[in-house]
């Protein structure tokens, strides 16, 4: 007789990212600043302006970067930060706050809030560190992108077979 099968917990269904039309709308609003691109991130999407992480999409809501100057405005609107549990049990509260729903209907205000988020992202410690690394790398290679390294094949000695 076979032992009973263990029941696995179902993976939560992925929520769809906001309609592509919303990303196109944001790209149009910020076209004079630079290109807006999306990338996969945490099983959802991220929003990048000039290759700077501007926001992340979680549960069909766009969460944008805040700093000490912009965070009170988000809190006054009742926005909540993006929070998650790591697999180690650590609870993380990020500096990304959800955009209020009413902003999606007002393009000028949405642009103002997105520009404030972009400015906060530019001066964030992680963005500054990445920019410095890129500049050092460019200085070493003379402004050219660094060549990709080929993967080395590791030669391991054969293990002796156990004697019988």
């Amino acid at each position: 007789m076979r032992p009973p099968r263990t029941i696995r917990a179902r993976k939560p269904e992925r929520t769809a990212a906001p309609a592509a039309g919303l990303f196109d709308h944001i790209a149009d609003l910020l076209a004079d600043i630079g290109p807006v691109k999306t990338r996969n991130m945490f099983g959802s999407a991220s929003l990048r302006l000039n290759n700077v992480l501007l926001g992340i999409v979680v549960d069909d809501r766009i969460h944008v970067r805040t700093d000490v100057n912009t965070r009170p405005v988000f809190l006054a609107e009742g926005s909540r930060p993006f929070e998650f549990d790591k697999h180690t049990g650590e609870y993380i509260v990020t500096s990304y706050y959800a955009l209020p729903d009413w902003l999606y209907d007002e393009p000028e205000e949405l642009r103002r809030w997105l520009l404030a988020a972009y400015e906060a992202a530019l001066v964030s410690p992680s963005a500054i560190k990445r920019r410095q690394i890129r500049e050092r790398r460019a200085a070493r290679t003379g402004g050219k992108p660094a060549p990709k390294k080929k993967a080395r094949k590791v030669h391991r000695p054969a293990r002796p077979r156990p004697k019988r």
Side-chain angles (χ1 to χ4, degrees):
M1 185 171 184
R2 234 193 240 153
R5 260 176 55 183
T6 57
I7 300 173
R8 290 187 193 176
R10 283 187 178 177
K11 288 184 177 179
E13 290 184 25
R14 281 189 173 179
T15 57
L22 177 60
F23 288 137
D24 293 338
H25 179 62
I26 290 173
D28 289 341
L29 286 175
L30 302 174
D32 61 326
I33 309 283
V36 175
K37 296 180 182 177
T38 59
R39 270 195 200 164
N40 289 337
M41 184 175 174
F42 301 131
S44 194
S46 68
L47 208 59
R48 295 176 176 271
L49 176 60
N50 287 332
N51 210 17
V52 174
L53 184 61
L54 178 66
I56 54 179
V57 180
V58 181
D59 296 330
D60 290 335
R61 305 211 51 189
I62 297 178
H63 293 70
V64 294
R65 173 77 82 158
T66 61
D67 59 6
V68 293
N69 299 325
T70 58
R71 197 166 300 128
V73 179
F74 282 87
L75 291 172
E77 288 291 332
S79 291
R80 305 214 9 103
F82 173 55
E83 307 167 328
F84 63 95
D85 289 319
K86 288 177 79 173
H87 65 279
T88 59
E90 186 179 359
Y91 187 69
I92 306 294
V93 178
T94 68
S95 62
Y96 291 87
Y97 278 70
L99 287 173
D101 292 331
W102 63 269
L103 275 179
Y104 299 111
D105 298 328
E106 300 197 20
E108 291 90 27
E109 279 297 305
L110 179 59
R111 178 182 160 81
R112 250 180 13 93
W113 286 55
L114 290 172
L115 287 177
Y118 179 61
E119 291 171 7
L122 284 176
V123 297
S124 71
S126 58
I128 291 170
K129 185 176 179 180
R130 274 194 294 280
R131 211 170 20 248
Q132 289 170 343
I133 290 170
R134 262 188 254 122
E135 288 169 0
R136 280 194 303 261
R137 196 173 293 146
R140 266 187 275 139
T141 60
K144 298 176 189 172
K148 292 186 178 181
K149 294 182 180 179
K150 290 184 180 179
R152 292 186 190 175
K153 188 173 182 180
V154 178
H155 296 283
R156 293 190 180 112
R159 285 192 276 163
R161 293 185 181 179
K163 295 184 181 182
R164 294 183 182 204

